[in-house]
């Protein structure tokens, strides 16, 4: 068990170190064929993309202290999730996972739109959706767009009430 943990730690440290390597020296991974042509999300099935998105997200959670889309592993997770959702538009799990990744990586407008498209949300999803609306309301308020801020606050409150949304509403 201890050897497995140490190997995992070394592998993750290598992934984190790869963040500073130039893009032209990307390491060969299991997504590379024998000829060197990388398998892209477009060449995988929806279920394979979904599985890869989950794998990359787990690795990214360990490798990076703060999740942002511009980190290699988070980008891979979001991109694979996007393709899974696009390839099987009727699969709610794929679409909800994409919305969750957008929220987690702080890509607020994509998160808001993805949650909005899902329709009926469970309690946890309502919290995430409300957070994306609150972030967009704050940004709109900062740039002086009170109409957009009010729209985001209203939609966010319809998902889940929060202190952030109430504070923004009091400033409108």
């Amino acid at each position: 068990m201890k050897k497995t943990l140490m190997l995992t730690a070394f592998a993750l440290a290598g992934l984190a170190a790869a963040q500073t390597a130039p893009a032209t020296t990307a390491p060969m991974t299991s997504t590379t064929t024998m000829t060197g042509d990388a398998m892209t999300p477009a060449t995988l099935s929806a279920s394979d993309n979904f599985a890869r998105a989950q794998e990359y997200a787990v690795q990214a959670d360990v490798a990076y202290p703060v999740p942002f889309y511009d980190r290699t592993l988070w980008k891979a997770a979001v991109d694979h999730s996007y393709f899974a959702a696009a390839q099987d538009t009727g699969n709610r799990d794929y679409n909800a996972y994409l919305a969750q990744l957008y929220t987690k990586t702080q890509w607020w407008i994509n998160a808001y739109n993805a949650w909005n498209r899902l329709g009926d949300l469970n309690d946890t999803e309502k919290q995430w959706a409300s957070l994306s609306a609150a972030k967009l309301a704050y940004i709109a308020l900062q740039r002086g767009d009170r109409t957009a801020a009010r729209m985001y606050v209203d939609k966010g409150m319809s998902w889940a009430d929060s202190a952030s949304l109430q504070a923004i509403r009091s400033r409108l």
Side-chain angles (χ1 to χ4, degrees), residues 10-170:
F10 285 125
L12 292 174
L15 288 171
Q19 290 298 300
T20 59
T24 57
T25 60
M28 297 284 281
T29 66
S30 62
T31 62
T32 306
T33 63
M34 296 299 281
T35 62
D37 296 330
M39 291 175 57
T40 64
T43 64
L44 299 173
S45 70
S47 61
D48 288 341
N49 273 317
F50 184 64
R52 290 261 169 98
Q54 292 174 315
E55 290 171 14
Y56 286 130
V58 167
Q59 292 174 13
D61 259 336
V62 174
Y64 310 120
V66 178
F68 284 112
Y69 176 77
D70 65 348
R71 298 296 190 163
T72 302
L73 292 170
W74 282 119
K75 182 180 184 332
V78 170
D79 291 352
H80 280 278
S81 185
Y82 173 82
F83 271 87
Q87 290 168 324
D88 189 356
T89 58
N91 189 316
R92 189 184 190 291
D93 291 340
Y94 294 175
N95 287 290
Y97 193 67
L98 177 60
Q100 180 183 349
L101 287 177
Y102 282 145
T103 305
K104 188 162 193 161
T105 59
Q106 303 177 49
W107 199 345
W108 304 120
I109 190 64
N110 282 354
Y112 175 86
N113 290 332
W115 291 120
N116 211 21
R117 279 191 303 271
L118 274 175
D120 290 332
L121 306 177
N122 66 37
D123 290 341
T124 302
E125 292 170 342
K126 287 178 182 178
Q127 294 298 318
W128 288 331
S130 180
L131 173 64
S132 69
K135 296 293 187 174
L136 290 172
Y138 178 77
I139 292 167
L141 190 61
Q142 290 301 104
R143 72 172 183 261
D145 189 348
R146 298 169 72 79
T147 304
R150 187 172 292 109
M151 182 208 51
Y152 288 127
V153 166
D154 291 344
K155 184 61 178 181
M157 295 291 266
S158 76
W159 282 321
D161 192 1
S162 73
S164 297
L165 287 169
Q166 288 177 10
I168 295 167
R169 179 185 279 176
S170 71

